[in-house]
Amino acid sequence: MPKKIQILIIGHNGNITPEVEKIAYETGVEVAKSGAVLITGGLDGVMNAACHGAKDAGGLTVGIIPQSEASFANQYCDIVIPSGMGLARDFLNALSGDGVIIIGGGSGTLSETCAAYMHKRPIVAIKNSGGIAEKYADQYLDHRKSIQIIGVSSPKEAVKTILEKINST
């Protein structure tokens, strides 16, 4: 059996707007419908909403959490990897996905985005979700122009685009 594609969704932790929650939930649904495995940081906010959507659509979810105890993960994680690494787990998350979808996000999301960028993982940003996604959509992170972060307008377009990028590498 071939390896399943793994898509990392990153974004705001904690309280998110209803609009961002809907985007994250729908993106999780689209990942599940594609047959890919959804990977997140396993906590609240975008991670929780994306996992919820994937679970509702029958998908498999993995949460790589910064804590050392699985009980910190959101309830929609099928598999919990308690890294015990704190913020350093951002690199583990970035390298666990064959591609990355950014929804909103702050400094932690930027850290994961930078790690994925340095390792030339395909990255898609949903433009209307604010935060890091909005700021870096259709941009490069630095002068090396390793990979462009592709800006998209919807969850469906995000998953379609990231799968195309993953399958072309």
Side-chain angles (χ1 to χ4, degrees):
M1 176 186 286
K3 175 193 163 303
K4 285 187 166 247
I5 290 174
Q6 298 173 186
I7 298 175
L8 174 67
I9 293 181
I10 59 177
H12 291 297
N13 186 20
N15 294 327
I16 55 176
T17 66
E19 296 80 20
V20 170
E21 183 174 14
K22 182 175 190 260
I23 291 168
Y25 180 91
E26 290 175 0
T27 306
V29 167
E30 292 298 324
V31 169
K33 285 170 44 179
S34 79
V37 175
L38 173 67
I39 299 177
T40 72
L43 301 176
D44 295 332
V46 164
M47 298 169 278
N48 184 74
C51 288
H52 188 180
K55 287 299 298 170
D56 283 356
L60 178 65
T61 62
V62 178
I64 304 172
I65 62 173
Q67 297 89 350
S68 58
E69 294 184 28
S71 62
F72 286 93
N74 73 60
Q75 65 182 339
Y76 303 107
C77 292
D78 292 311
I79 299 167
V80 177
I81 300 171
S83 72
M85 298 171 70
L87 297 176
R89 79 86 155 83
D90 291 354
F91 281 80
L92 183 60
N93 288 359
L95 294 175
S96 294
D98 297 309
V100 180
I101 297 173
I102 311 169
I103 302 170
S107 61
T109 303
L110 181 57
S111 172
E112 289 168 311
T113 302
C114 289
Y117 182 87
M118 288 185 289
H119 290 277
K120 297 183 178 163
R121 294 294 199 267
I123 305 171
V124 169
I126 300 181
K127 293 189 233 186
N128 54 342
S129 62
I132 297 304
E134 193 85 28
K135 182 172 176 105
Y136 291 101
D138 299 317
Q139 303 292 318
Y140 295 94
L141 289 181
D142 66 16
H143 66 282
R144 291 175 285 204
K145 296 188 176 181
S146 300
I147 56 161
Q148 185 175 24
I149 298 171
I150 301 165
V152 298
S153 300
S154 71
K156 188 173 208 142
E157 186 183 2
V159 174
K160 178 180 181 280
T161 303
I162 203 68
L163 288 171
E164 288 171 354
K165 289 294 183 185
I166 291 167
N167 289 322
S168 71
T169 56

